[in-house]
Structures are given as structure tokens and as C-alpha cells.
Amino acid sequence: MTQFLSFQIHGGADHGASPADGIANLLTFFDGISGLAPLEIFALFLPGLASLNNIHPMLVHFPIAFLSGFVLVDLVGAIAKKAQWRNLASYLLYFGTFAAIFTVIAGFAAANSVAHGGDVHAIMERHEQLGLSVLTLALLLSGWRLKSGILGNGGANNFFIILSAVLFALLFLGADLGGLMVYKYGVAVNAVPVSTVPHQHEHAD
């Protein structure tokens, strides 16, 4: 079925096919999926997600993006004294904290579902500790911002920014260990045999 997902709206010039051929392929595709079970359709459209043992690798991008954005926008807003920027940063913080809750829960499930050796277990333990630290600090900063609003330029504001910087550092270190487990030790990765046939990317004009 996957060959039917390669539709291109180029008038068929790239592949020697006419628009009518494209419509015929599209109709064939829909006819093909009509006989599939829901899980088979899900795997057809989202093969990466369907192949995951758990959803932690998918969720982890959200707290990284939201919380990193929060630290950057809030810092710029504080330096430029732009209340609207810091207000935007607050929402990024709240979204990031919300995402971090589910990411940590999925992370604990992932730790109990993938096979790993003792060397990886030590890395995984540090990764878990950093993840919990990020969540705890994000919850603290969220509660502080919700209760006190956007702080001024006093000592409390400076301390808030320092804690935000610590949050970013912990987030970065945790992401680094997550990448280490996957890309060096292949945790939860199904190895694919490497082809001995050389592959070259060629693109016609």
C-alpha cells in the first residue's frame, strides 16, 4: 500500500504519468485501504508511530521545544522589558510543564519495557533523575508565575531567571543522555542490516 502514498501534483512530468493516472492511483489507493483493519490503516499512515514500543520518544520533543522557548522568550522579554513577551513565555512554560508530565510518565513506562544492560541502566537512571528534576522545576516555576504573575526587575525576578536557566541546563543534559542511549547503545532500536550496495542520491533537474 505504501506505493500509493507517493502521489505528486506535478502534472505527471516527473514520472511520465498524466493527471488521469494520478487520479486512478488515488482511487486505487482508497479502494485498497477500504479492506484494511483500523490498526492496519493506522500503521499505513503512521508507520513510525506504529513501530514504537512506547510513545516516550514522540512526546519528549514537546517539553524540549516549549520549555526551551519559554527560557529564551522570557529572558529576552526581561532584558527588553517587554511584558507581552514575558506573558507569551508564561504560556510556553505552562504548555511545556503539561507536556513534561506525560513525557515523564511515558519515560517510566519506557524504562520498564525495553531491554538494556547495566551500563545503559546507569545512564537511564541519570536520565530519569534529570527528567524528574526538569518536571519538578517546571511545576515550581509554573506555580510561581501563576501566583505572582510577571515579576519586575528585583531580586525575585533575577532568581526566577536563574532557575529558568537551571531548567534549561537540566533539559539539555537530559536530552543528551537520551540521545546517547539511542544513538550509541541502540536502546529500543531494531537494527536494520546495512546494505553493501553503495547508494547515491541523484536528482534530475
Side-chain angles (χ1 to χ4, degrees):
M1 290 299 169
T2 54
Q3 67 267 29
F4 296 120
L5 294 177
S6 61
F7 302 129
Q8 299 185 38
I9 308 176
H10 296 297
D14 293 341
H15 304 285
S18 66
D21 293 330
I23 294 175
N25 287 336
L26 182 62
L27 293 175
T28 303
F29 168 73
F30 283 118
D31 181 63
I33 66 174
S34 63
L36 297 178
L39 289 179
E40 292 175 321
I41 296 176
F42 177 80
L44 176 65
F45 284 98
L46 297 172
L49 183 58
S51 65
L52 291 177
N53 294 323
N54 57 78
I55 61 173
H56 179 70
M58 180 180 179
L59 296 179
V60 72
H61 302 287
F62 293 97
I64 291 175
F66 282 128
L67 294 177
S68 297
F70 150 69
V71 174
L72 177 61
V73 174
D74 198 55
L75 179 60
V76 173
I79 294 174
K81 298 181 180 179
K82 299 289 187 180
Q84 62 270 29
W85 282 52
R86 303 201 73 182
N87 187 53
L88 171 62
S90 298
Y91 286 100
L92 294 174
L93 172 61
Y94 304 148
F95 287 138
T97 303
F98 185 75
I101 294 173
F102 292 98
T103 302
V104 168
I105 293 173
F108 278 112
N112 295 323
S113 65
V114 297
H116 56 276
D119 51 349
V120 174
H121 185 75
I123 299 173
M124 189 177 292
E125 287 290 324
R126 295 201 303 272
H127 181 70
E128 289 180 358
Q129 293 167 3
L130 288 168
L132 285 173
S133 298
V134 167
L135 176 58
T136 301
L137 195 50
L139 288 169
L140 173 64
L141 292 175
S142 294
W144 190 352
R145 183 60 66 89
L146 282 170
K147 181 178 180 181
S148 303
I150 299 173
L151 302 171
N153 295 318
N157 177 69
N158 294 336
F159 186 56
F160 185 92
I161 293 176
I162 291 173
L163 290 180
S164 300
V166 172
L167 171 67
F168 179 79
L170 295 174
L171 189 68
F172 184 85
L173 293 173
D176 178 72
L177 291 181
L180 178 66
M181 286 188 290
V182 172
Y183 293 109
K184 182 175 181 179
Y185 295 99
V187 175
V189 173
N190 295 322
V192 177
V194 179
S195 174
T196 58
V197 178
H199 176 73
Q200 294 180 349
H201 290 279
E202 296 181 358
H203 300 279
D205 294 335

